[in-house]
Amino acid sequence: MRSTPASSTRPAGTGDLTTRDALCPQARRCRRRTCFKRSIENVCHDACHGHQRVEKPVAVLSRRAAILSTGGALAASLCPPISEATQLQSSVTGSGEELSQSLEARVQEFTLSNGLHFIVLPRHIAPIVSCHTYADVGAFDEVDGQTGIAHLLEHMAFKGSPRIGTKDYAREAPLLEALDEVFYSKKEAEAAGRLAIAEKLDDQMRKLEEQAAAFSVPNEFGATLSQAGAVGLNATTSHDATRYFMAMPANKLELWFALEAERFRAPVFRELYSEKRVVFEERRMRVDDSPMGKFQESFAAQAMTNNYRRPVIGYPADLALLGRPQVQAFFNQHYGPQRLSISVVGDVEVDRVQQLAEKYFGGWQSMSSLPQAGLVTQDEPLPRPQGDSRHFEQSSKAGPLLMQAYYRPPMTSKDAVVLDIICDLLSGSRTSRLYHRFVETGQAFNANAVPSYPGEKHPNALVLFGQPSSGVSLETLDQAFQKETQGLIYQGPSAKEMARIKKATKLTLVDGIRSNTNMASALCSYHVNAGSWKKLLFDLGQVDQLTAADIQQVAAATFQPDNLYTGYMLKA
């Protein structure tokens, strides 16, 4: 993940919220849940000021989190700014059909002949536009032996093209090719045990990197946008997708189109081998030297049988073998126009956006036969390990810690919204069940629930975790957590709890009315993963119509002993 500028964020402790979290009101309500999903996999660095790294807690937002942080903004965009809050309150409590009809008239879509889809929401409140490019490819799509390549490619997407990021590409290109040849020769020498030869080749690589660097213009892509007023120039890689986004003055929209088309139609992955060294350092900080990072990586490897078992940042052995040709091949395979979706929200007109889209992206043709974005096999099995043993233990100085993983269907499931609500009942606030029963009573230092772990596009896990207090064993907390989930099945949530959840949803919608960035993100995400951005409105209505019986039914299907995998981080 990239963040710009570095000065706009602050190093984050366990309880800190960052600029990115501040964009999402749900992050403020689910502070403890956010802190648990730390960025051991996603990586951030400054796109305009070199390679300064800032560690941030990153929440993998559930579908309901997207509802909470964007639904209000969508409704608010339909009315003049002076009456946004009033209009939103009436929209949330009024007819969902009326809101849907209004949005259908306002949000417009078009698809270029090459399959690249655009979603546009004009919002003439301020002369600003937010642009969000959603690539339907993430770490889940990697093959064994090439873990980390999706995240590495995200870094490379900021390195420029034959015209951006270089002083003389004709002289730079042969040096980049020579670097590739020496890199693979070095790997062959290392595999054969010829370490002296490998060392000489390593020296040769360093010299070639210095020669190539003489022709490069570092960070020209980001600097050009920043000089035009762009803010929040950023990118993130997850298991499910890779996202690129920013906001800038609306009168500079054509510059963004020109640069965005340039980096995806003709990328040059310069500085790859030096960037790999940075990724290794990031992995060391977030995983290898982090007790929590090690445990999460090991737990996922044991508990998940699909590709969610692997870390987004990749395994060191795989990263060491990745060269520029492999990254280029991954790009050619996964980054065609039909795999991208772009949303534009702000002070724009749809006709102008379509004109620029045709001008800069219309001639782009895919290098491979790729399916359209969002096509996922609907009958994927739950990622449960075979056999009777569904328990994992690992010792660490950071222990003790309990993790319970209950296997669940992907976000397209009819039960997905209910599972999100279940997590909010368990840990969405200081009045939630886990906090009240365990934290307030002193049985645990913290207790939380994460609705989708480590992703949500494919079958995954609903995870409960807790840190027992001194004198409370992991076994005792484990059994107490299971008793609490059984309570949802047999007693269900109270009328007071259901009212709290629904009220919190509506209040958070009002809190999120001003963010074009959140709107752009939600439009793309729902289009790709749910088939249409309109599914967002359906989910909003589903939250309001949920009953205690709905919660009990889904809880009964989820919180079963044979659907549970537990992990204990023991005190070393």
Side-chain angles (χ1 to χ4, degrees), residues 17-78:
L17 291 176
T18 64
T19 301
R20 182 182 175 198
D21 298 322
L23 293 174
C24 175
Q26 176 72 350
R28 296 198 293 272
R29 289 176 62 251
C30 300
R31 185 186 184 106
R32 295 174 303 285
R33 185 187 307 173
T34 299
C35 295
F36 171 69
K37 270 298 289 181
R38 299 192 61 80
S39 56
I40 61 168
E41 299 169 343
N42 292 318
V43 189
C44 62
H45 71 84
D46 196 315
C48 300
H49 303 289
H51 300 296
Q52 182 175 358
R53 291 316 196 255
V54 179
E55 184 178 358
K56 308 166 94 175
V58 176
V60 177
L61 297 180
S62 67
R63 179 157 65 170
R64 182 168 181 262
I67 296 172
L68 293 173
S69 63
T70 60
L74 286 167
S77 68
L78 303 176

Side-chain angles (χ1 to χ4, degrees), residues 397-473:
K397 293 180 180 179
L401 179 84
L402 166 69
M403 287 183 68
Q404 294 181 341
Y406 289 94
Y407 299 98
R408 54 155 293 175
M411 66 174 292
T412 51
S413 165
K414 61 181 177 60
D415 295 332
V417 171
V418 183
L419 289 166
D420 289 340
I421 297 300
I422 285 174
C423 282
D424 276 341
L425 286 167
L426 290 172
S427 70
S429 71
R430 290 180 178 270
T431 60
S432 62
R433 293 190 172 202
L434 294 183
Y435 188 87
H436 176 68
R437 306 278 168 81
F438 299 103
V439 179
E440 285 188 347
T441 60
Q443 297 181 62
F445 292 117
N446 63 56
N448 281 280
V450 177
S452 298
Y453 177 89
E456 63 181 357
K457 181 178 177 182
H458 302 272
N460 56 87
L462 182 157
V463 171
L464 277 61
F465 70 96
Q467 291 179 296
S469 301
S470 300
V472 179
S473 69

Side-chain angles (χ1 to χ4, degrees), residues 372-383:
Q372 195 69 28
L375 295 180
V376 177
T377 303
Q378 296 300 311
D379 57 354
E380 293 179 273
L382 295 177

Side-chain angles (χ1 to χ4, degrees), residues 50-318:
H51 300 296
Q52 182 175 358
R53 291 316 196 255
V54 179
E55 184 178 358
K56 308 166 94 175
V58 176
V60 177
L61 297 180
S62 67
R63 179 157 65 170
R64 182 168 181 262
I67 296 172
L68 293 173
S69 63
T70 60
L74 286 167
S77 68
L78 303 176
C79 57
I82 193 170
S83 60
E84 281 183 342
T86 302
Q87 175 74 14
L88 177 58
Q89 288 173 330
S90 62
S91 297
V92 170
T93 57
S95 168
E97 183 178 353
E98 291 178 5
L99 177 58
S100 177
Q101 292 173 350
S102 298
L103 281 171
E104 286 184 36
R106 193 69 176 271
V107 178
Q108 298 190 42
E109 305 173 80
F110 61 88
T111 304
L112 302 183
S113 60
N114 56 18
L116 179 55
H117 190 77
F118 283 81
I119 309 172
V120 185
L121 175 57
R123 194 181 183 210
H124 304 295
I125 296 174
I128 299 171
V129 62
S130 291
C131 303
H132 193 107
T133 300
Y134 188 108
D136 189 25
V137 55
F140 195 96
D141 301 290
E142 298 165 346
V143 298
D144 287 335
Q146 290 191 359
T147 60
I149 197 170
H151 166 251
L152 181 59
L153 196 155
E154 175 223 305
H155 278 235
M156 292 297 100
F158 287 80
K159 298 299 182 180
S161 70
R163 297 188 297 177
I164 300 170
T166 185
K167 300 172 185 175
D168 188 340
Y169 185 65
R171 298 173 67 184
E172 180 190 25
L175 293 170
L176 298 178
E177 293 175 1
L179 264 170
D180 297 334
E181 294 180 7
V182 174
F183 170 76
Y184 287 112
S185 296
K186 173 189 169 185
K187 291 304 169 185
E188 291 176 1
E190 290 174 345
R194 296 177 290 177
L195 301 183
I197 294 177
E199 187 175 347
K200 291 181 180 180
L201 290 170
D202 188 64
D203 291 338
Q204 188 176 348
M205 277 195 68
R206 300 282 181 165
K207 292 178 182 178
L208 285 169
E209 284 181 307
E210 291 177 2
Q211 294 174 34
F215 296 105
S216 70
V217 183
N219 305 307
E220 185 174 23
F221 175 88
T224 302
L225 287 169
S226 292
Q227 289 167 7
V231 295
L233 179 62
N234 210 323
T236 64
T237 303
S238 69
H239 283 90
D240 297 337
T242 310
R243 304 163 180 258
Y244 305 85
F245 43 91
M246 61 99 236
M248 68 188 309
N251 62 358
K252 300 294 183 179
L253 182 62
E254 184 165 8
L255 174 64
W256 175 84
F257 263 98
L259 292 176
E260 195 76 351
E262 182 89 4
R263 71 162 160 178
F264 289 123
R265 295 186 62 175
V268 172
F269 301 136
R270 55 176 59 88
E271 302 174 7
L272 182 139
Y273 300 105
S274 61
E275 195 71 19
K276 280 178 57 178
R277 291 192 286 271
V278 175
V279 172
F280 272 113
E281 178 62 18
E282 291 164 348
R283 182 187 159 82
R284 183 190 65 77
M285 293 171 56
R286 291 173 170 79
V287 181
D288 301 332
D289 291 348
S290 167
M292 189 63 188
K294 284 183 178 179
F295 180 74
Q296 283 200 69
E297 182 173 285
S298 299
F299 180 81
Q302 296 292 325
M304 312 298 289
T305 59
N306 59 12
N307 286 354
Y308 283 142
R309 71 187 185 277
R310 308 174 309 195
V312 171
I313 202 169
Y315 293 118
D318 294 344

